[in-house]
Amino acid sequence: MNTENLIACHECDLLQRVPEQHGSGTARCRRCRAVLHRSVPNSLDRTLALTFAGLILFVVANSLPFLAFNLQGQQTQTTLITGVKDLYNQGMWEISILVLLTTIIVPLLQLLSHLYVLLPLKFNRTPWKMALVFRLSGGLAPWSMMEVFLIGVLVALVKLVGMAEVIPGLALGAFALMIVILAAASANLDPRIVWKRVAYRR
């Protein structure tokens, strides 16, 4: 039996064949009409470009000042990593580890895993342990909570405005833009490109 292009519906478990799609389009389940697959034109090129942009923004967000506080003529600058260190030094080591994981380590691992898998595919090569790394990348997604962290920062800014002059840094803008870039990369990635290569190797 030819199992190529077979997919099980995530809603009703109906096993069916997804037709080959050229260009953009959406395949739906024949029984429950749930979305089975969305075809994205130039998925590999788009996702790679967004991944490189995300890496650049990651470097900016973690190397430049995130916020600056001006209180009575004294200015203090903070970065993402200094915020983590301050939480740790204040005895809140659980929160500091959580912030480190969800805002720095996990987003970096997501970007690097996408690059590790997709860049060789662009040149018709198959990276070592590609399926494992790609599955790991998907499993990391729920642990990336940059949006929650950004909302917390904005709430803190509103409360601090009356106490001191708060100056947003370039890193804050880069961090916010990186959230959008990561979401766009995930939306443009067609997983079938990767899994077809895994099946081809077998």
Side-chain angles (χ1 to χ4, degrees):
M1 177 182 177
N2 184 11
T3 59
E4 187 176 359
N5 292 334
L6 284 178
I7 188 172
C9 176
H10 296 292
E11 299 294 334
C12 68
D13 290 330
L14 177 65
L15 188 64
Q16 55 203 291
R17 194 178 304 278
V18 178
E20 286 290 340
Q21 294 176 320
H22 302 283
S24 60
T26 301
R28 294 186 177 274
C29 175
R30 294 197 304 267
R31 181 159 62 190
C32 69
R33 304 304 297 167
V35 175
L36 296 175
H37 174 261
R38 285 189 175 91
S39 181
V40 181
N42 302 318
S43 171
L44 188 58
D45 293 336
R46 289 185 180 187
T47 308
L48 271 175
L50 290 167
T51 301
F52 278 117
L55 282 171
I56 294 172
L57 291 170
F58 180 86
V59 173
V60 174
N62 285 275
S63 58
L64 295 180
F66 198 79
L67 290 171
F69 301 93
N70 193 349
L71 180 61
Q72 297 179 351
Q74 294 184 346
Q75 189 174 90
T76 304
Q77 291 184 339
T78 62
T79 62
L80 278 174
I81 196 64
T82 57
V84 173
K85 290 179 179 178
D86 289 341
L87 287 171
Y88 182 82
N89 292 333
Q90 293 173 18
M92 295 182 284
W93 61 270
E94 302 97 336
I95 299 177
S96 68
I97 292 174
L98 184 63
V99 172
L100 179 66
L101 285 173
T102 58
T103 63
I104 298 178
I105 294 179
V106 171
L108 178 61
L109 288 177
Q110 281 186 290
L111 290 166
L112 292 179
S113 59
H114 276 176
L115 198 62
Y116 177 82
V117 171
L118 300 178
L119 190 59
L121 291 182
K122 175 66 179 176
F123 298 99
N124 294 319
R125 298 182 180 276
T126 304
W128 182 70
K129 296 290 185 181
M130 178 178 67
L132 178 63
V133 175
F134 190 63
R135 192 176 293 113
L136 174 65
S137 174
L140 288 172
W143 290 96
S144 179
M145 300 181 185
M146 295 187 296
E147 303 91 341
V148 178
F149 178 77
L150 185 61
I151 291 173
V153 170
L154 294 176
V155 171
L157 283 178
V158 172
K159 293 184 177 180
L160 289 172
V161 164
M163 301 170 57
E165 182 185 2
V166 181
I167 307 170
L170 287 176
L172 179 59
F175 187 84
L177 188 56
M178 185 171 63
I179 295 174
V180 178
I181 291 294
L182 280 174
S186 297
N188 281 276
L189 176 59
D190 187 350
R192 293 199 306 174
I193 296 175
V194 178
W195 297 125
K196 280 185 177 181
R197 179 60 61 90
V198 173
Y200 175 76
R201 286 195 67 183
R202 294 177 181 174

